[in-house]
Amino acid sequence: MSDNGRSRHIAPRSGTAFELKAGEELIVIDPEGGQVADLLAVSLDDIKEMLSSGRTLDYAERIYLTTGDKLYSNRSNVMLEIVEDTVGRHDFLLTPCSEATFRLCYENEPPHQGCHGNLAAALAPYGVTADAIPVAFNCFMNVPVDGKTGRFKVLPPLSKAGDHIAFRAEMDLVIGLTACSAPASNGGSFKPIHYRIVAKEEARVASAG
């Protein structure tokens, strides 16, 4: 993993948004292990073009994505490519947790706006509304699916302290990124997420590795 770029900190159960230019690399880091980060990509040129779970999984023909896989928009354009992954298990099925998630699924937990609310707040300055937020790419989230019944479980992440996943931007993007707020997704605890942006001239060459 490149050491270029300053590491940024996302506090537990919060989120942020920032621009990522074509050719730049985004490295999402789990500094303590066992923490999910919801990632959403939006086209900087047209916010109606967003990351699409359906398009991506359709083209990949599998639900677990890792190094070499591309993440597509709702217009079938490549937004990001995974260029490095030390975990190999992430989720692209489940929607960001929200106030409704805590109300319907966590009877004993206090209300929280969840990743959906954190993404909405962070992306609002770019004109993205809460109702427009789709399924995010859930970095480090561990959701095994029974191949016969289709039932799934949400288990603690497999990520260990310092594990990371790196993406190269294929277009100019706005990125929303969270330190997930849902207890089940994070093994019952809440920890920070770190991320780093590597400049285009320093990012790894597409054919490297």
Side-chain angles (χ1 to χ4, degrees), residues 109-190:
E109 289 286 330
H112 195 279
Q113 68 178 4
C115 287
H116 185 273
N118 287 333
L119 288 169
L123 291 167
Y126 294 94
V128 177
T129 64
D131 285 343
I133 293 174
V135 172
F137 184 84
N138 302 310
C139 304
F140 316 125
M141 191 171 181
N142 182 18
V143 184
V145 179
D146 186 299
K148 291 184 178 180
T149 66
R151 293 188 65 85
F152 61 82
K153 297 179 181 179
V154 178
L155 300 180
L158 302 179
S159 52
K160 307 299 183 184
D163 273 334
H164 64 275
I165 180 171
F167 306 85
R168 184 178 59 248
E170 298 298 326
M171 63 172 72
D172 292 345
L173 300 169
V174 178
I175 297 291
L177 189 64
T178 74
C180 180
S181 304
S185 300
N186 305 293
S189 64
F190 307 108

Side-chain angles (χ1 to χ4, degrees), residues 39-56:
L39 182 151
L40 181 60
V42 181
S43 169
L44 185 61
D45 293 332
D46 183 355
I47 61 171
K48 292 182 181 179
E49 183 170 16
M50 293 188 177
L51 189 64
S52 172
S53 169
R55 298 293 181 191
T56 300

Side-chain angles (χ1 to χ4, degrees), residues 8 18 20 54 57 65-66 68 75 78 101 106 120 122 166 195:
R8 281 100 163 168
F18 50 88
L20 185 71
L57 298 183
L65 306 179
T66 188
R75 297 174 183 170
V78 178
T101 304
Y106 293 107
Y195 70 95

Side-chain angles (χ1 to χ4, degrees), residues 54-153:
R55 298 293 181 191
T56 300
L57 298 183
D58 191 4
Y59 304 144
E61 298 184 322
R62 63 179 182 277
I63 61 174
Y64 298 130
L65 306 179
T66 188
T67 306
D69 285 314
K70 297 175 174 62
L71 307 187
Y72 288 82
S73 75
N74 54 315
R75 297 174 183 170
S76 295
N77 295 315
V78 178
M79 306 190 92
L80 296 160
E81 181 174 351
I82 303 173
V83 294
E84 191 171 32
D85 179 9
T86 66
V87 179
R89 176 59 63 90
H90 315 275
D91 170 67
F92 209 5
L93 296 175
L94 303 188
T95 189
C97 61
S98 65
E99 180 278 330
T101 304
F102 282 84
R103 176 164 43 86
L104 297 172
C105 300
Y106 293 107
E107 295 180 356
N108 298 319
E109 289 286 330
H112 195 279
Q113 68 178 4
C115 287
H116 185 273
N118 287 333
L119 288 169
L123 291 167
Y126 294 94
V128 177
T129 64
D131 285 343
I133 293 174
V135 172
F137 184 84
N138 302 310
C139 304
F140 316 125
M141 191 171 181
N142 182 18
V143 184
V145 179
D146 186 299
K148 291 184 178 180
T149 66
R151 293 188 65 85
F152 61 82
K153 297 179 181 179

